[in-house]
Structure formats: C-alpha cells, structure tokens
Amino acid sequence: MKKFLVVALAAALTLGGVSLALANGSAAGISGSPHDFSDGTIKNGKPGATITDETWNYRGEICRVCHAPHDKGRTNYTNGLLWNHAVSTEAYTMYASETLDGVTDGTPGGNTKLCLSCHDGSVGLDTFDSHAGATPPASVDGGIGNLANGSLVINTDLQGTHPVSITYNDTADAGLLDPATATWADGTTVAATLQGNKVQCSTCHDVHDKLSVAGTHLLRTANGSSNPSGLCLTCHNK
Amino acid sequence: MKYATGLCVSLLLVVGLTAAAWAGNAQGITGSAHDFSAQDWYPGLASQREICQPCHAPHDKGRTTYQAGLLWNHELSSATYVMYNNTFSPTLNNTVDSAPTGSSKLCLSCHDGTVALDSFDGHAGDPALLIGEAYGNLKRIPRAMSGSDLDMRGTHPISIAYSGGDTGLNPTTTVWQGGGTIADTLEDGKVQCASCHDVHNSSESIPGTLLLRAGQTDGQGGGSRLCLTCHNK
C-alpha cells in the first residue's frame, strides 16, 4: 500500500510537471508568452531539449523573430504580416478522409505556412532577418513543438493533425456549427478566426497569447474538465 | 437459494442500471455513453479530462494512429478475426474484407475487448480497463473465440460491400428514421459499425436505443425498423 502511494504520488507529480510545462499560455499577451524569445526563459522545456536558453535570438527582440517593419528586399512577406522568418520549403502529405466535406488546399496556405516555418521542424528557429539559421529545428522543447511528428526528425506527414487550409463548409457538413454564431471563450466568432473561410492553425490557437485561455496551448477555448472538449465542440456539432 | 436469489436481484439491478445508462438520447456526445470525461479511470489529471480525446487528437505527435482519417488517438487492436463471409454463409452475395476495415477497426479498438479503454494519447493501458473487465462482457463484440482468433461470425457482417447482387437489400437512397440515406452511412460503399450505430449520439440516432439510426420497436418508430431499412423482407 505504501509503495502504491509512493508510485501514485510520483506519477501525480510527473503528470503535474508535464502539464505545467505544456499548459503554457497565460493569456497575458506576447510578452512572457511561449512565443517571447527575448527573455531567455524556456517556457516549455522538456527533458532532452538541446536548447536551454534563448541566446539564439541574437537581436533580443520579441516581434522580430517573426515580423520586421522593413524587409530590406528579402520579400518574405508571405500572406502579408511583414513576415521575417524563413519559410519551410518542405512538401507535405495533407489530411484526407472520406468523411471530409471541406476542400483542403494541396499545400498549407495562409498563416499556417508561417507557423510551419518553425513548427515543421525543418527551419532553424534563428533563421530570421537575413540571419542564416544554425539552431537545430524545433529542438527548443525536445521536439514537442514539432507538430508534424513530435520528434527532432523532419516529418511532413500532416495526416495525423487536424486538417488545415481547409474550407469551413457548414453547408455541406451538417456536423459543423454556423461560424457566424459559434463563439470562442472570449466571444470572438469562429468566422472571425477563419482566413478566407479556411481553417488554419490560428483558428484554434492564438499565437500571441492574448485571446487564448490561460493554462492551455494558446487555445481559444479550454478543452479540460471545466468545459470538456469545449474547443472541439465550438465547431463540431457532436 | 437465498444467496442465489439475492445474486439474481443484484444482477437484474446492475443490468437494468447499465441498460439505462447506455441508451442514447440523441442529444450529442456530451453526457452520452461515449463521454468519459467524468470517469475516474481517465488517465492524467482530473482537471484535464476531455470528451473527444480518448478517440481523437488534433495532433498525433508522430504516433501515426490516424487510421481511416478521423485523427485517431486510441491504440488499435492487433487481434485477428474470423469474419462473417461468403464461406461461412452461402446466402451472402456481397464481398467481405478479410479483416475489419474503415471505422469498424476504430470501434473494435475498445469493443473487441483486447485493448484497454485508457490506451490513448500515448498512455499505456491498464489491463483492468479492458472493456469486458470495466463495463462487462455485454459490451464486448465479439466475445467468442475460434482458436486464437476473435470470432465475428456471431455478429452482423461488417466491412462488407452493400452492393453486389443481393436483391434482398433496399436502394441506398433509402432514408434512415433518424435522417440521412443508407449511402451516407456506408464507407467506401461498405457496411461498417457506423452504418447502424451513431457513435456520437447525435440527432440522427433514436432516443432510448443503443445509438441506433432507426428504432426497433413500435414505441421507437416501428418493429425492427432498423433491420428493415436495409433488408427488403
């Protein structure tokens, strides 16, 4: 019994630790958020991470890793947004399913392309401005930020991730709620978080940690016990 | 005898309660038989129990469990099955896959009784949480074995083409009582578990049934209405 308690306690502590490490948003804005690489603090570090500080951010600014006010002719401005980070040149296997009614682009578009410029694991985090990246991709958190496969190996298989760059077709798909009336936790409509009526990473995640729910992966609505699967059920009529 | 009577009463109570709990209400996944967010066996922190997660995850983190699309997040069964096929039934006209396919494979990842309910999201399952152990063998499909294989010959054929020479079947344009056509509930033209059962307890299922797309009694919309939606008898 005593041994069981010890094991249970250890498990609880481990789980608690992991959850704290992962549940990393505070909804207090970009400063101090997981995407603030200027303060030297690894917000979601994981055992095995090869990066333990943020000295790779050689300019020490917050916005600059992703955006620059003047591109100096680098024409990185994918999708507007004054993009300042090298984008991935990988080709992806897109999500497909017989039950899918929306139309998926042949390759990630919109600002998903921007997220993948770090999160597919192929481009060094410090490949911004005209700086040639040297930091091992996605290694800042031991691979958890690598959405394609969760390891340090580049894998461009997006079939295991929720479809992105897909039209939100609630007309053909009765399983989707009306985006004009479905709202996230902060009151924003789903429609306002689509881009050209397409679901992108930013539809669920608020990259700037401003409109997200504290303690989540920058999610626009929480998914835990206080509102089980609340994020999923914002769009999915299940 | 007294003991036996007591046991019977207990069993009746348990079965009665269980049946009530499993019946659907067509009100959606929340609170349904497949909503495990309030279950103590849900692994991890109590504050992080979700509804969709035991089956689906938005990012699979490279586990590549995305069988049949659907962002599958539950460990699949590695069991082998004896199928209900043409060899077994001479009256069967249409082609059966050699093993369960499509979303049936997903249902069986809990319901064949070989994979623990909590084997999801990379979590190693607890043997006490095999469905037969946790919820009773009535939830196990199939239960019988043929050698070392699970015997599917006692359950309606799945992973079977709907079309293919059987004149005893109604057109696929036939509409279910709960809405949608037969064609809508076939996968790649095949009958799967989901052809009869609406796993999400949506408005397409009939209240008071085991998540069925049509009722089975007069009170539910007609005697054997589910069977007779497809079978021209």
Side-chain angles (χ1 to χ4, degrees), chain B residues 23-229:
Chain B
N25 60 10
Q27 298 291 308
I29 190 72
T30 305
S32 77
H34 289 121
D35 174 359
F36 305 115
S37 63
Q39 299 300 314
D40 286 340
W41 57 257
Y42 200 109
L45 297 179
S47 63
Q48 294 183 355
R49 291 173 184 160
E50 303 180 17
I51 299 175
C52 312
Q53 191 185 42
C55 295
H56 310 281
H59 306 295
D60 76 343
K61 311 260 170 64
R63 289 188 293 271
T64 60
T65 47
Y66 49 76
Q67 196 83 20
L70 307 180
L71 299 172
W72 202 243
N73 193 36
H74 198 280
E75 188 180 328
L76 290 165
S77 172
S78 55
T80 51
Y81 305 86
V82 180
M83 298 296 280
Y84 187 127
N85 59 19
N86 314 67
T87 312
F88 169 61
S89 168
T91 66
L92 212 59
N93 298 105
N94 303 345
T95 308
V96 183
D97 292 336
S98 58
T101 54
S103 65
S104 292
K105 197 152 170 54
L106 309 183
C107 306
L108 288 166
S109 72
C110 279
H111 285 278
D112 83 352
T114 69
V115 183
L117 302 170
D118 59 340
S119 306
F120 63 88
D121 216 44
H123 186 76
D126 178 350
L129 287 169
L130 298 174
I131 199 169
E133 306 289 331
Y135 289 105
N137 268 328
L138 286 174
K139 295 292 161 286
R140 223 189 130 180
I141 298 169
R143 277 186 281 165
M145 301 291 289
S146 175
S148 58
D149 296 341
L150 287 161
D151 193 344
M152 297 293 281
R153 293 175 296 184
T155 213
H156 185 288
I158 53 165
S159 309
I160 179 174
Y162 189 86
S163 304
D166 191 336
T167 54
L169 292 174
N170 288 323
T172 56
T173 49
T174 308
V175 177
W176 290 104
Q177 182 187 347
T181 64
I182 292 173
D184 291 339
T185 60
L186 299 176
E187 292 176 30
D188 200 17
K190 293 171 189 169
V191 174
Q192 302 288 9
C193 306
S195 302
C196 295
H197 298 276
D198 173 38
V199 64
H200 296 116
N201 187 40
S202 81
S203 59
E204 294 192 350
S205 59
I206 307 302
T209 70
L210 295 176
L211 309 178
L212 297 175
R213 296 189 184 280
Q216 290 283 50
T217 66
D218 276 345
Q220 294 168 350
S224 293
R225 184 162 176 175
L226 182 87
C227 313
L228 297 173
T229 300

Side-chain angles (χ1 to χ4, degrees), chain A residues 24 35 111 115 119 147 161-162 164 184 193 199-213 216-221 223 231, chain B residues 58-59:
Chain A
N24 44 25
H35 287 122
N111 66 13
C115 304
H119 286 278
L147 109 92
T161 218
H162 186 286
V164 289
W184 302 109
T193 60
V199 174
Q200 303 289 7
C201 305
S202 58
T203 305
C204 295
H205 300 277
D206 175 41
V207 64
H208 296 116
D209 197 15
K210 186 91 175 165
L211 306 175
S212 47
V213 177
T216 69
H217 297 259
L218 310 179
L219 297 176
R220 295 191 185 276
T221 298
N223 246 345
L231 182 89
Chain B
H59 306 295

